[in-house]
Amino acid sequence: MTEPVLSVRDLTVEFVTRRGTLRAIDSVSFDIAPGEVLGVVGESGAGKSLTGTAVIGLLDPPGRIAGGEIRLSGRRIDDLPADEMRRIRGKRIGMVFQDPLTSLNPLYRVGDQLVETIMTHLPVGRDEARRRAIDLLAEVGIPAPERRIDGWPHEFSGGMRQRVVIALALCAEPDLVIADEPTTALDVSVQAQIIALLKRLCRERGTAVMLITHDMGVIAETADRVAVMYAGRIVEIGPVREVVKHPRHPYAQGLMGSIPALEESRERLQQIEGSMPRLAAIPKGCAFNPRCPHAFARCMVEKPVLLESGASRVACWLHDGTGLGEETAA
Amino acid sequence: MSAAPERPMLEVADLRKSFDVSKPFLERMLGGGHRQYLKAVDGVSFTIRKGETFALVGESGSGKSTVARMVVGLMPPSAGRIVIDGNVLSGRQGYPRALRRRLQMIFQDPYASLDPRWRVADIIAEPIRAFGLAPDRATEQARVGELLSLVGLHPADGVKFPHEFSGGQRQRIAIARALAADAEFIVCDEPTSALDVSVQAQILNLMKDLQQRLGLTYLFISHNLAVVRHMAATIGVMYLGRIVEVAPAEELFSRPRHPYTRMLLDAVPDLGMTGRTRRPVQGEVPNPIDPPSGCTFHPRCPLANDRCRAEAPATIDGVACHAVQEGRTEPGRAVSA
């Protein structure tokens, strides 16, 4: 196997507050290979966006990386000084955020923003940068790019703006793109176009993508592998088909069952009782135990680690292989 | 399906709403330019039977929320007729008191729809007090407790403030409040789109349970096709202020007829789509201030011809599309997939 573009090991993020230290991300580990799309899903407060923020080194105090390491193509980046990290950000890691309007500066023409970014990161002159910018705009599907390049962000629709943001993220030919809810602010018909675009570009360039979203439909179509997060930990990670069709962790099972399907209509949706715990009150043992229909004694005291289960890895004691609880998991 | 003699809960006929989006008078005089109107809702008609859920689905700017607001009387229509359970409403004078009690609304954002300075018991009791439904405070509080249990909360939660609840619990409070005055018809404007999926499932299940127990009628507004399919018996698909297709839910999803409905169904990311490729969707929703001529969908429609560009299609048999009416189907695609 080739070296992963991004390798995260035991990443722990804490917030030091007056009322004590809150652990928002707890020993999260994953790899992303070149050209691979890793989907990170979970509900609000699961820590998925925070994981992305930690990777690009944009955690705001009091948040801090309290443990673990992050490597980009083998080189450790979580302990770099701020100015060195700034060079990596944008150049080697591109970013696409949820709201395309706030990602673009409304006071600069679209082309100027692209040209500036290209010239900052690549050793090219203004004319060459502009030529590249036009090519990029054409590549992300903006009609008449040689004319639109001189337009202002407000002259672009939501979908077109998100295309510009994708062009911005890709202009320095990064190894990794972190896309945090890239389609959430868009209408469905536009959403599909943006997903297809992101997927095609990354495949063509061999860019690794960390796709953070709460929308399982988007993940199902775009990602190669999926990590399901709950209360700051990865509870299940595996190939998209496995996780979507045969989820193993009770939370992942509940999550998939709670999504209304287009293909068939059910009388009732499966529901997970209760809600995600607050950071200050994460239950002992497995954080999911109060809501879990299969919880047993061990879940109350011992935090589950990721264990191999088929093609996936699952953090659930039902899958410990001791046989205990295996029949309930089936 | 024979026409039942029963009166429908809601009948909307040729409903219209336009907003004046002209520049200020002085600017128009100095800089030129005409008055401009945005036709948010442009001739919408539908009927909801008692105890049934009717959904309006569409992308942003399609006018679905404007329809909801006009139906509950929060906004007077520019033209058209709203008949709720036999009461013809002109919209201008506001709804009669007895009707307002039976008609309630649930909003999208439960963080904005509950007053943060009121206790939950008071929020829920407000309609009971407004309509004088409880003779004394004890009866009122008993009713509030009953409503809280009905939506899956604890009667003791009444003393808390909204900020002490999660988004899903707040939406439960909003539902309890809507039911407080024994409403029969509830207009729900994107009731779950601010919620996480597992919480959405809880709320949708609750709404279905309540419908069965209390015989409620819902007008359900959403942009999420899967949610709409799960909830509604009949679905109207809106595009730029018009209903382009109305059909029973099953039929709409198994045999979509209007090209826009088909495009939407093709576009929705779905769990079942893993590993499948989809047909690319064309274009975006145009600016409603300056909609395309004729059928407003024609610039994105693969079946458009000269007639579509010139003439707005009438709704025949639930579909407003020339191509469907003329039997022109899409090349290389079977109608029933």
Side-chain angles (χ1 to χ4, degrees):
Chain A
M1 205 177 132
T2 49
E3 185 179 40
V5 172
L6 179 71
S7 171
V8 174
R9 284 287 164 276
D10 298 317
L11 178 70
T12 300
V13 172
E14 290 181 342
F15 286 80
V16 182
T17 69
R18 234 179 300 169
R19 279 189 286 172
T21 302
L22 302 176
R23 184 166 286 193
I25 297 179
D26 187 7
S27 301
V28 162
S29 303
F30 59 88
D31 290 332
I32 311 180
E36 183 183 49
V37 181
L38 175 77
V40 180
V41 285
E43 299 181 275
S44 331
K48 51 191 195 304
S49 288
L50 202 58
T51 307
T53 315
V55 169
I56 54 181
L58 286 179
L59 279 180
D60 283 323
R64 62 183 176 95
I65 295 179
E69 53 179 54
I70 301 166
R71 286 174 186 274
L72 187 67
S73 306
R75 182 169 168 229
R76 197 157 167 194
I77 58 165
D78 56 297
D79 53 358
L80 289 180
D83 58 330
E84 219 168 310
M85 191 61 208
R86 194 162 54 235
R87 275 198 291 276
I88 288 181
R89 213 183 291 134
K91 167 85 183 91
R92 303 200 42 212
I93 307 179
M95 288 158 286
V96 179
F97 293 110
Q98 175 170 348
D99 184 354
L101 191 52
T102 49
S103 308
L104 295 172
N105 189 331
L107 300 178
Y108 287 90
R109 290 175 195 275
V110 162
D112 294 341
Q113 304 189 42
L114 279 163
V115 167
E116 185 201 350
T117 315
I118 294 172
M119 286 175 65
T120 307
H121 294 299
L122 299 175
V124 294
R126 184 162 290 275
D127 291 343
E128 170 63 16
R130 189 179 161 88
R131 226 174 355 258
R132 283 192 187 216
I134 292 174
D135 288 348
L136 264 169
L137 289 178
E139 211 179 330
V140 296
I142 290 186
E146 54 293 327
R147 205 157 40 77
R148 295 290 268 167
I149 190 168
D150 293 317
W152 301 94
H154 73 261
E155 296 170 334
F156 287 67
S157 67
M160 286 296 157
R161 275 185 211 137
Q162 198 63 302
R163 287 170 195 266
V164 173
V165 172
I166 290 177
L168 265 175
L170 293 176
C171 68
E173 290 162 4
D175 308 319
L176 172 70
V177 169
I178 297 182
D180 191 349
E181 305 273 8
T183 59
T184 309
L186 306 174
D187 273 321
V188 271
S189 65
V190 181
Q191 195 177 354
Q193 300 169 8
I194 297 294
I195 294 171
L197 173 71
L198 197 62
K199 203 171 171 175
R200 175 173 64 81
L201 290 179
C202 293
R203 181 158 297 158
E204 283 170 9
R205 292 157 178 253
T207 312
V209 181
M210 179 173 171
L211 175 67
I212 300 165
T213 178
H214 69 280
D215 188 332
M216 280 311 301
V218 169
I219 290 282
E221 273 186 44
T222 318
D224 300 307
R225 282 192 308 135
V226 189
V228 182
M229 290 191 73
Y230 184 80
R233 289 173 74 88
I234 291 180
V235 296
E236 179 161 348
I237 182 167
V240 63
R241 199 174 279 273
E242 284 297 304
V243 176
V244 168
K245 299 266 190 252
H246 311 288
R248 291 172 167 83
H249 193 283
Y251 173 67
Q253 288 168 353
L255 195 63
M256 302 306 155
S258 68
I259 301 167
L262 272 184
E263 296 194 327
E264 20 83 82
S265 181
R266 283 166 293 178
E267 197 36 50
R268 279 181 73 82
L269 297 168
Q270 195 180 331
Q271 65 183 58
I272 313 173
E273 297 301 333
S275 54
M276 177 101 60
R278 293 182 188 191
L279 281 185
I282 289 184
K284 213 167 126 45
C286 172
F288 188 60
N289 77 55
R291 304 173 71 186
C292 183
H294 311 294
F296 55 103
R298 190 176 180 187
C299 307
M300 308 298 168
V301 287
E302 211 178 328
K303 229 185 244 184
V305 290
L306 281 172
L307 302 160
E308 302 283 337
S309 172
S312 308
R313 286 188 303 145
V314 187
C316 177
W317 292 129
L318 291 173
H319 296 270
D320 195 13
T322 54
L324 188 65
E326 279 293 325
E327 64 281 2
T328 39
Chain B
M1 201 160 53
S2 65
E6 201 193 353
R7 251 193 334 222
M9 182 53 95
L10 174 73
E11 215 184 322
V12 166
D14 201 26
L15 195 64
R16 289 167 195 274
K17 179 78 193 176
S18 47
F19 295 103
D20 188 344
V21 290
S22 320
K23 286 180 184 156
F25 171 75
L26 196 60
E27 241 174 83
R28 277 207 312 278
M29 295 315 286
L30 298 174
H34 302 282
R35 292 201 82 105
Q36 278 188 310
Y37 293 95
L38 187 157
K39 287 182 184 169
V41 176
D42 192 14
V44 161
S45 311
F46 60 91
T47 305
I48 311 180
R49 278 179 297 179
K50 281 182 183 157
E52 202 187 81
T53 303
F54 180 90
L56 284 176
V57 62
E59 297 182 273
S60 22
S62 61
K64 53 194 193 303
S65 289
T66 309
V67 171
R69 272 154 209 268
M70 287 193 281
V71 166
V72 285
L74 286 175
M75 194 185 264
S78 304
R81 211 162 70 119
I82 298 173
V83 185
I84 298 177
D85 198 18
N87 300 278
V88 182
L89 302 157
S90 71
R92 293 264 167 230
Q93 303 132 6
Y95 288 5
R97 204 175 154 73
L99 191 68
R100 267 184 282 147
R101 184 185 63 72
R102 299 169 56 196
L103 174 64
Q104 292 291 326
M105 185 162 183
I106 300 170
F107 296 90
Q108 172 171 1
D109 184 358
Y111 291 82
S113 62
L114 304 175
D115 189 327
R117 291 179 296 182
W118 281 36
R119 289 183 194 277
V120 165
D122 292 322
I123 291 174
I124 297 173
E126 194 186 18
I128 304 177
R129 289 173 200 160
F131 293 108
L133 298 178
D136 53 64
R137 203 163 161 78
T139 331
E140 176 197 294
Q141 287 307 308
R143 173 78 179 133
V144 168
E146 197 182 296
L147 285 161
L148 280 167
S149 328
L150 187 67
V151 297
L153 295 171
H154 197 272
D157 286 336
V159 297
K160 295 185 190 165
F161 287 97
H163 74 259
E164 296 175 69
F165 295 91
S166 66
Q169 289 170 322
R170 282 181 213 216
Q171 207 56 302
R172 288 175 193 266
I173 295 168
I175 293 173
R177 179 187 157 100
L179 296 173
D182 300 314
E184 295 157 37
F185 178 31
I186 299 183
V187 176
C188 324
D189 188 1
E190 302 267 13
T192 60
S193 55
L195 307 174
D196 275 320
V197 276
S198 71
V199 181
Q200 167 174 284
Q202 294 172 0
I203 298 297
L204 294 180
N205 283 340
L206 173 68
M207 289 178 63
K208 272 198 152 180
D209 292 346
L210 291 173
Q211 180 169 42
Q212 275 173 6
R213 275 172 68 177
L214 308 171
L216 302 172
T217 308
Y218 292 131
L219 169 58
F220 196 95
I221 312 287
S222 180
H223 70 280
N224 186 327
L225 283 158
V227 165
V228 157
R229 160 158 211 187
H230 180 70
M231 292 301 289
T234 314
I235 298 172
V237 180
M238 286 192 77
Y239 188 74
L240 283 180
R242 294 185 191 162
I243 293 184
V244 296
E245 179 167 1
V246 186
E250 256 343 282
E251 214 177 295
L252 189 87
F253 283 88
S254 57
R255 278 182 295 114
R257 291 183 294 165
H258 196 283
Y260 177 63
T261 314
R262 290 200 218 156
M263 194 197 81
L264 267 188
L265 288 178
D266 273 348
V268 186
D270 191 46
L271 286 190
M273 288 297 287
T274 311
R276 271 194 261 164
T277 47
R278 55 170 68 253
R279 298 183 324 143
V281 173
Q282 303 297 316
E284 296 184 29
V285 181
N287 186 346
I289 296 177
D290 183 20
S293 62
C295 170
T296 50
F297 186 59
H298 83 251
R300 303 172 76 185
C301 182
L303 304 176
N305 63 12
D306 288 341
R307 185 182 173 201
C308 305
R309 282 182 270 275
E311 187 187 325
T315 305
I316 299 172
D317 189 25
V319 194
C321 178
H322 295 132
V324 171
Q325 287 153 17
E326 291 165 10
R328 283 187 281 131
T329 44
E330 217 164 319
R333 185 165 193 264
V335 177
S336 56

